[in-house]
Amino acid sequence: MDTAALTAWIREFARLIAANKELLTELDSAIGDGDHGVNMDRGLTAVVSALDAEPPETPSALFKKVGMTLISKVGGASGPLYGTAFLRMAAAAGDSVELGKVLRAGLDGVVARGKAEPGDKTMVDALRPAVEALEGGGSVQEAVRAAEQGRDATIPMVARKGRASYLGERSAGHADPGATSVTLLLKALEA
Amino acid sequence: MKKLINDPSNVIADALRGIAAAHPELRVDHENRIIVRGDAPVRGKVGLVSGGGSGHEPLHGGFVGPGMLDAACAGEVFTSPVPDQMVAATQAVDGGAGVLHIVKNYTGDVMNFELAAEMVAADSGTEVVAVVVDDDVAVQDSLYTAGRRGVGATVLLEKIAGAAAEEGRPLGEVAEVARKVNAYSRSMGLALTSCTVPAAGKPTFDLPDDQMEVGIGIHGEPGRRRVPVAPAGEIAEMLVSPILSDLDYTGGDGVIAFVNGMGATPLIELYVMFNEVSQLLAKAGVPIARSLVGPYITSLDMAGCSVTLLKADDEILRLWDAPVNTPALRRGV
């Protein structure tokens, strides 16, 4: 993927976040503090403004701008997690981007910052299977399906990270908001 | 939703303008959303920076001033501030003796303060030490959670560490005092109602009229169990007994007992609660050395309260009694 295609991907992600703001807020109200949709939308709106103001010329510059903007604008846990992911993707990106490789770098960044393990009911549970699908030569559609399955698999899980973990058993029965938003990141690739 | 606001998305900016107008002795950086002690940086004094999501007022901005914090960062409602704010605050209060970050133990707060410390380390020589507050006994199983939450002890810690810094003690010692306050503090909270985040417009969780939520945090996150509404005496028991069974409070110089309002509970009810708490402590053989009653770490318009007990020693009491001059806590000046 080149810079133009990647920029279109990020813009589509921003659109999907805005369109699903209420859903993310609802999921986060059930097991967190109800701010995931609002925070992500604020961050991605700022990302789109930054891209409008000064379109990045390389994949690496694009990811760096996305990462820095999210760190500065989102707050909460999502800001550092998504921000770190995109900064790691910036470091892993060359002139043209191999999706599986950069998303692997992003996933490693999320794990390093948040220390979540598979099954903790976090964004890792959706992102990891998608990355593994791409690394195994799967199509974008297959990666999206893997993310969706990973997201749905968080529904019965008991959270062990983030604010949802304070609910103990009561966190089961709802999809994780972070797993849901990161599935939108994958879904944005289909546009 | 009935609130005294203009545009829900401008609540924090509008409130910061109000703080600036009401407290000319403080400096408010509206761009970075930080509140800074007017005479900062104080040469040779350790700077104290805290911050967190908004909606807990007077925490943290109301505790900026001589004897307490040097700066506070205001995040969005219930959302950690971002590293840029923490970096700006750290730079604004660096008087050459280093800066202490006081961080409540929430995933977002911890990660953003970590990033900020990394950014400060990367571009200046300012020494930063972070102390994480985690006093909430409602979180029982730290192994399978993000750990205990930082709640009421944060107020006591900011006061006591602030007094230690004011005495001119070095960063290591101020951090040590702060860690001691955290280690000797336990808290437990209860909600009678949910709260409404302005941008969301509706209560964060449903709580029927005849139910209350035990073991809540300060972000409208539900607690651990829901029980029928009970008289104050029984509520005090639900809050005090898990605290007393978590830490041995006997044999010291008594406790600083703090009954905190969650935002919508009137002071008269907090005193009803304090009476119950004091009787339970008397029965347990734990003398009250000092007390604090009022809404100091709130959860927007939630009704309810929390109890914090800090096991005191000579040093803690001396620092607690030291003068403090902030918008929300002022004495001896």
Side-chain angles (χ1 to χ4, degrees):
Chain A
M1 290 172 85
D2 61 12
T3 309
L6 293 167
T7 304
W9 171 35
I10 298 302
R11 287 177 181 277
E12 176 64 10
F13 179 44
R15 195 190 66 76
L16 287 176
I17 288 289
N20 288 280
K21 189 166 106 173
E22 302 283 315
L23 168 74
L24 294 174
T25 295
E26 232 164 80
L27 289 172
D28 198 31
S29 299
I31 63 169
D33 53 354
D35 61 5
H36 190 54
V38 174
N39 291 345
M40 288 298 289
D41 186 46
R42 185 180 53 248
L44 269 308
T45 301
V47 165
V48 169
S49 304
L51 297 181
D52 286 344
E54 205 185 323
E57 286 172 6
T58 64
S60 175
L62 168 71
F63 289 146
K64 187 166 180 209
K65 180 165 275 190
V66 174
M68 292 305 287
T69 307
L70 293 178
I71 286 173
S72 295
K73 297 293 178 191
V74 176
S78 321
L81 289 170
Y82 273 101
T84 303
F86 277 101
L87 291 184
R88 294 287 186 94
M89 288 161 67
D95 289 342
S96 103
V97 158
E98 197 188 313
L99 210 48
K101 198 179 121 204
V102 294
L103 282 174
R104 162 61 67 181
L107 169 64
D108 289 346
V110 168
V111 171
R113 180 68 63 196
K115 304 181 181 65
E117 288 170 28
D120 281 352
K121 196 179 180 101
T122 70
M123 61 194 290
V124 169
D125 292 314
L127 184 53
R128 183 186 299 273
V131 169
E132 284 168 359
L134 290 169
E135 284 175 336
S139 66
V140 163
Q141 285 70 24
E142 283 165 325
V144 171
R145 208 162 329 122
E148 285 170 345
Q149 283 167 0
R151 173 199 65 197
D152 294 344
T154 65
I155 295 174
M157 287 178 188
V158 173
R160 286 187 292 215
K161 281 282 180 291
R163 277 189 201 156
S165 69
Y166 300 127
L167 289 172
E169 299 288 336
R170 282 164 62 176
S171 63
H174 303 272
D176 177 63
T180 306
S181 63
V182 84
T183 300
L184 296 175
L185 178 65
L186 272 300
K187 223 172 155 45
L189 286 164
E190 286 186 318
Chain B
M1 173 177 66
K2 284 198 272 189
K3 285 185 187 291
L4 301 173
I5 59 174
N6 298 308
D7 180 344
S9 57
N10 288 338
V11 170
I12 290 149
D14 289 350
L16 284 172
R17 276 192 280 272
I19 288 170
H23 300 288
E25 72 278 15
L26 302 175
R27 285 204 309 265
V28 179
D29 173 346
H30 294 282
E31 199 199 321
N32 283 308
R33 296 189 170 181
I34 57 179
I35 299 168
V36 183
R37 184 173 153 165
D39 57 354
V42 182
R43 231 9 314 122
K45 187 184 94 68
V46 171
L48 266 63
V49 171
S50 192
S54 293
H56 308 305
E57 292 70 22
L59 189 89
H60 297 271
F63 299 134
V64 175
M68 219 161 160
L69 297 178
D70 292 80
C73 314
E76 293 292 327
V77 171
F78 294 170
T79 300
S80 166
V82 297
D84 308 25
Q85 296 174 270
M86 298 156 182
V87 170
T90 302
Q91 286 162 349
V93 308
D94 176 16
V99 175
L100 184 74
H101 285 175
I102 299 170
V103 187
K104 302 197 294 305
N105 189 34
Y106 297 95
T107 307
D109 294 62
V110 170
M111 285 195 279
N112 281 286
F113 268 104
E114 262 174 28
L115 269 170
E118 287 168 20
M119 286 156 79
V120 169
D123 67 25
S124 77
T126 304
E127 194 185 350
V128 172
V129 172
V131 171
V132 176
V133 193
D134 58 351
D135 55 310
D136 184 10
V137 298
V139 179
Q140 289 158 334
D141 200 345
S142 305
L143 198 58
Y144 296 107
T145 66
R148 287 184 164 177
R149 301 171 286 210
V151 287
T154 315
V155 176
L156 310 180
L157 187 152
E158 289 177 357
K159 164 68 186 84
I160 291 165
E166 211 68 48
E167 286 184 342
R169 290 161 73 175
L171 181 57
E173 284 182 27
V174 176
E176 194 74 13
V177 167
R179 290 199 186 97
K180 180 166 81 173
V181 171
N182 182 55
Y184 286 2
S185 294
R186 298 289 187 277
S187 299
M188 181 79 176
L190 168 136
L192 299 173
T193 69
S194 181
C195 55
T196 300
V197 175
K202 54 183 184 192
T204 305
F205 59 96
D206 293 318
L207 190 53
D209 263 358
D210 57 348
Q211 303 274 301
M212 54 187 195
E213 187 98 22
V214 184
I216 45 125
I218 52 171
H219 299 92
E221 66 268 49
R224 288 194 76 88
R225 65 198 167 98
R226 195 163 277 196
V227 299
V229 170
E234 286 172 37
I235 293 176
E237 178 89 49
M238 287 177 211
L239 300 182
V240 170
S241 70
I243 293 175
L244 292 183
S245 59
D246 203 81
L247 184 71
D248 181 8
Y249 280 92
T250 57
D253 293 316
V255 294
I256 298 179
F258 172 27
V259 170
N260 172 64
M262 298 308 296
T265 288
L267 206 46
I268 189 170
E269 293 175 31
L270 297 182
Y271 277 105
V272 169
M273 283 300 299
F274 196 88
N275 176 48
E276 299 295 340
V277 169
S278 70
Q279 289 180 33
L280 288 169
L281 292 179
K283 216 185 298 173
V286 177
I288 297 177
R290 302 288 187 276
S291 61
L292 184 67
V293 182
Y296 290 102
I297 170 168
T298 61
S299 192
L300 291 171
D301 51 355
M302 176 180 278
C305 70
S306 64
V307 173
T308 300
L309 299 179
L310 163 58
K311 186 174 182 173
D313 62 17
D314 281 350
E315 180 185 49
I316 286 173
L317 291 178
R318 180 174 54 79
L319 294 169
W320 178 253
D321 291 340
V324 60
N325 190 0
T326 70
L329 205 59
R330 178 173 291 133
R331 61 164 178 263
V333 291

